[in-house]
């Protein structure tokens, strides 16, 4: 017995060794089986989040599509500091991003960047709004019952604007959604006839026609976000892109903490226009351009051309045409400009995907944008000269009706003939050379409004460029008549024997436009 016992005692050790080797060999396969699952597609994330929080999936998709077109923009915030597909907001008045983090236990940083987490966070907030509205389990099964929750999700404290937001979501349910999400997955909501239960918003007055443009709706901006009145006449229209949704932008302009506004906002899907600031008042949209321009925001993102729909172009162009006709604004690219083109601004909108040729054709004006006109000094140009300053001279000659031909930066015989014709008209020596006097006359040409310290706009820029040429020193052409411009005007007036008062009236304009 003892003879056979010894091998028996060694069997566990042998088995242990064999099992150890087997487990080691199997470890990679076991690890592969327990690897974390791939993140869900955007389409699946909507389904999972809707089931988890007992939110109708189509309502959740409609809210997300209305906010973002199902693009999280790689975690970049909207103008209203909203993040992701569900536009979870982090601004002084609305804190749905933090609320979503509290409800789901997901860190704020993840909710900003991870689309599936963001959708889950949006579903949690929407469910919280439903609970606050007192929806029962049975009511939560009916999309029509979610109207109040959707209205509150939009974040507006104005019942009319909240109803406006919810109506937009329910319009999407009726129309249906057929979209490709950022990951390529198809997200579809079949058109459904939904008659929403407006509940507390049933008595909210519908939005009325805008005071300046009756085709628009009227949703007034917070009085903290614009200035009553103007210091300059309206001489330009500035085109913006919201970097966010239509409803989100309207809500943000109503937020007194935003300190921004625009006169109008245009919706992507159908070109609907909302006015938020009276044209007679100064909206805060383009820094130095605020006093003399009307600002139009367009729903979308500068890097996504799909937002710029035919309906948006046509509606916005009709609005711009109306503004230009009512205020005598020339329908050209010197006066209808992008935010990026306004001096002293650091924005890039409307960006490379905005079709200026198409837009200006719809406005009924010229689509040719002016070349660079502002330089620290202006060189003497003659036949054979080339470069950016030649292009500037050619453009200015053409704008004044003296045919210099193509704006190509090449000073040829056609440009020389146009220069001589311009010089003759202004009483200058017709030598075909663009020197200080001809530059001064060219750069100052145009309307002659009375300008003084505090004035702003295109006319101030013309003045500043002309003074740079006339005085042979740089006068900052920022469109703002500050102390530096005032001193330059005094120096010019003194040197030309004019009354030295630092104001640019008929006499000073006349001297500049005569090339003195």
């Amino acid at each position: 017995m003892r003879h056979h016992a010894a091998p028996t005692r060694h069997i566990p050790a042998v088995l242990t060794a064999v099992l150890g080797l087997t487990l080691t060999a199997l470890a990679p396969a076991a690890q592969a089986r327990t690897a974390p699952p791939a993140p869900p597609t955007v389409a699946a994330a909507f389904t999972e989040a809707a089931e988890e929080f007992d939110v109708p999936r189509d309502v959740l998709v409609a809210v997300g599509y209305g906010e973002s077109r199902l693009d999280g923009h790689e975690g970049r915030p909207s103008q209203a500091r909203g993040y992701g597909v569900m536009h979870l907001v982090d601004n002084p008045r609305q804190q749905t991003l933090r609320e979503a983090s509290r409800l789901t236990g997901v860190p704020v940083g993840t909710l900003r960047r991870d689309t599936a987490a963001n959708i889950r966070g949006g579903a949690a907030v929407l469910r919280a709004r439903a609970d606050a509205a007192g929806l029962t389990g049975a009511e939560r099964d009916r999309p029509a019952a979610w109207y109040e929750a959707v209205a509150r999700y939009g974040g507006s404290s104005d019942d009319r604007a909240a109803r406006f937001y919810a109506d937009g979501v329910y319009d999407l349910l009726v129309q249906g959604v057929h979209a490709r999400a950022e990951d390529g997955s198809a997200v579809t909501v079949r058109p459904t006839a939904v008659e929403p239960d407006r509940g507390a918003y049933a008595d909210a007055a519908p939005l009325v026609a805008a005071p300046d443009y009756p085709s628009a709706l009227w949703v007034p901006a917070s009085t903290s976000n614009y200035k009553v009145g103007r210091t300059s006449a309206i001489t330009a229209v500035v085109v913006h892109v919201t970097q966010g949704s239509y409803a989100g932008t309207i809500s943000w302009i109503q937020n007194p903490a935003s300190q921004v506004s625009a006169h109008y906002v245009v919706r992507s899907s159908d070109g609907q226009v909302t006015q938020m600031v009276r044209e007679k008042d100064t909206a805060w949209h383009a820094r130095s351009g605020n006093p003399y321009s009307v600002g139009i925001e367009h729903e979308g993102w500068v890097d996504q051309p799909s937002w710029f729909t035919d309906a948006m172009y046509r509606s916005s162009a009709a609005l711009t045409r109306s503004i230009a006709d009512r205020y005598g604004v020339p329908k050209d690219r010197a006066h209808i400009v992008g935010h990026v083109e306004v001096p002293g601004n650091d924005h890039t909108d409307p960006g490379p995907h905005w079709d200026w040729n198409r837009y200006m054709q719809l406005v009924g004006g010229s689509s040719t944008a002016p070349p660079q006109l502002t330089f620290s000094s202006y060189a003497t140009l003659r036949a054979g000269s080339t470069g950016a300053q030649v292009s500037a001279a050619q453009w200015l000659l053409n704008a004044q009706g003296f045919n210099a031909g193509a704006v190509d930066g090449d000073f040829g015989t056609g440009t020389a003939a146009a220069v001589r014709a311009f010089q003759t008209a202004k009483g200058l020596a017709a030598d075909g050379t663009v020197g200080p006097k001809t530059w001064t006359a060219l750069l100052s040409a145009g309307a002659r409004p009375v300008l003084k310290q505090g004035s702003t706009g295109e006319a101030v820029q013309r003045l500043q460029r002309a003074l740079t040429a006339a005085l042979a020193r740089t006068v900052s052409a920022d469109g703002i008549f500050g102390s530096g411009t005032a001193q330059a005007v005094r120096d010019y007036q003194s040197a030309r024997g004019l009354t030295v008062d630092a104001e640019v009236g008929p006499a000073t304009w006349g001297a500049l436009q005569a090339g003195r």
Side-chain angles (χ1 to χ4, degrees):
M1 297 271 311
R2 286 193 298 270
H3 177 74
H4 296 288
T8 303
R9 285 195 299 270
H10 287 289
I11 288 172
V14 173
L15 286 173
T16 299
V18 172
L19 287 170
L21 289 170
T22 303
L23 290 170
T24 300
L26 291 174
Q31 289 171 0
R33 285 196 299 271
T34 59
T41 64
V42 172
F46 274 112
T47 300
E48 293 173 10
E51 290 176 354
E52 180 182 357
F53 292 98
D54 197 16
V55 177
R57 181 259 184 197
D58 288 359
V59 171
L60 187 63
V61 171
V63 171
Y65 184 79
E67 290 283 12
S68 68
R69 296 296 190 273
L70 309 185
D71 191 312
H73 301 103
E74 300 178 338
R76 299 191 305 275
S78 72
Q79 185 186 68
R81 294 198 57 78
Y83 293 86
V85 164
M86 299 303 296
H87 199 247
L88 297 175
V89 178
D90 179 18
N91 69 44
R93 195 173 71 175
Q94 194 178 2
Q95 295 289 335
T96 51
L97 181 65
R98 296 182 190 179
E99 182 182 2
S101 178
R102 186 176 68 254
L103 292 170
T104 62
V106 177
V108 162
T110 303
L111 289 168
R112 287 173 178 164
R113 297 185 302 272
D114 184 278
T115 294
N118 187 272
I119 292 170
R120 185 167 173 256
V125 172
L126 198 55
R127 171 58 189 274
R129 299 294 178 271
D131 290 345
L135 265 63
T136 65
E139 288 172 328
R140 289 199 299 273
D141 293 335
R142 295 191 306 109
W146 283 78
Y147 187 93
E148 283 191 46
V150 169
R152 292 172 181 173
Y153 186 96
S156 177
S157 59
D158 183 318
D159 283 356
R160 294 174 304 164
R163 174 171 171 166
F164 181 54
Y165 175 87
D167 283 345
V169 172
Y170 278 81
D171 284 346
L172 288 172
L173 291 176
V174 172
Q175 297 163 11
V177 173
H178 301 277
R180 286 281 173 189
E182 59 186 9
D183 64 352
S185 60
V187 180
T188 302
V189 171
R190 292 187 177 183
T192 307
V194 181
E195 190 66 37
D197 300 336
R198 288 193 169 88
Y201 296 95
D203 295 328
L207 298 178
V208 298
D212 296 316
Y213 189 64
S215 298
L217 300 173
W218 173 243
V219 178
S222 167
T223 55
S224 299
N225 295 338
Y226 67 92
K227 178 183 176 182
V228 174
R230 287 183 179 270
T231 57
S232 295
I234 294 172
T235 59
V237 174
V238 179
V239 172
H240 301 264
V241 173
T242 61
Q243 295 295 89
S245 72
Y246 181 61
T249 299
I250 290 170
S251 178
W252 185 231
I253 293 174
Q254 287 186 302
N255 184 338
S258 74
Q259 297 293 283
V260 296
S261 60
H263 293 91
Y264 295 95
V265 187
V266 184
R267 188 159 66 186
S268 168
S269 61
D270 58 2
Q272 184 180 79
V273 180
T274 293
Q275 183 175 7
M276 302 199 70
V277 177
R278 291 293 305 270
E279 292 170 3
K280 68 178 181 62
D281 295 329
T282 305
W284 296 341
H285 62 102
R287 294 187 182 176
S288 65
N290 291 339
Y292 60 87
S293 67
V294 173
I296 305 176
E297 288 278 6
H298 297 81
E299 181 185 27
W301 292 72
V302 295
D303 59 352
Q304 288 186 290
S306 60
W307 289 89
F308 305 146
T309 63
D310 180 68
M312 171 180 277
Y313 278 122
R314 290 183 182 279
S315 176
S316 175
L319 170 60
T320 293
R321 185 168 58 249
S322 171
I323 294 166
D325 288 343
R326 284 184 282 117
Y327 295 100
V329 176
K331 296 171 187 170
D332 60 37
R333 286 284 286 109
H335 297 85
I336 301 172
V337 300
H339 192 177
V340 67
E341 297 169 299
V342 179
N345 284 269
D346 57 2
H347 287 239
T348 62
D349 55 315
H353 300 298
W354 182 262
D355 191 339
W356 277 110
N357 287 337
R358 181 182 182 191
Y359 188 68
M360 293 303 296
Q361 286 174 357
L362 291 169
V363 170
S366 169
S367 60
T368 303
Q372 179 184 352
L373 300 177
T374 300
F375 299 91
S376 58
S377 62
Y378 291 86
T380 297
L381 307 177
R382 54 180 55 87
S385 297
T386 59
Q389 293 201 12
V390 175
S391 293
Q394 290 169 326
W395 189 89
L396 291 165
L397 287 163
N398 287 339
Q400 291 300 306
F402 298 89
N403 184 14
V407 179
D408 58 7
D410 186 357
F411 199 128
T413 56
T415 301
V419 170
R420 285 193 292 271
F422 176 81
Q423 290 170 327
T424 299
K426 299 298 179 182
L428 299 170
D431 58 6
T433 297
V434 183
K437 292 184 177 181
T438 302
W439 269 124
T440 300
L442 272 174
L443 291 163
S444 62
R448 300 181 177 189
V450 174
L451 302 177
K452 55 187 175 182
Q453 196 153 346
S455 297
T456 60
E458 177 269 343
V460 176
Q461 274 192 304
R462 283 193 287 119
L463 168 68
Q464 292 166 327
R465 293 172 185 141
L467 290 169
T468 295
L471 297 174
R473 73 171 194 253
T474 303
V475 179
S476 178
D478 58 5
I480 302 171
F481 198 130
S483 58
T485 301
Q487 185 58 56
V489 170
R490 282 192 290 268
D491 291 346
Y492 177 81
Q493 290 171 329
S494 176
R496 269 64 176 179
L498 303 169
T499 300
V500 180
D501 57 6
E503 292 190 8
V504 182
T508 302
W509 274 122
L512 288 165
Q513 293 182 351
R516 289 179 54 192

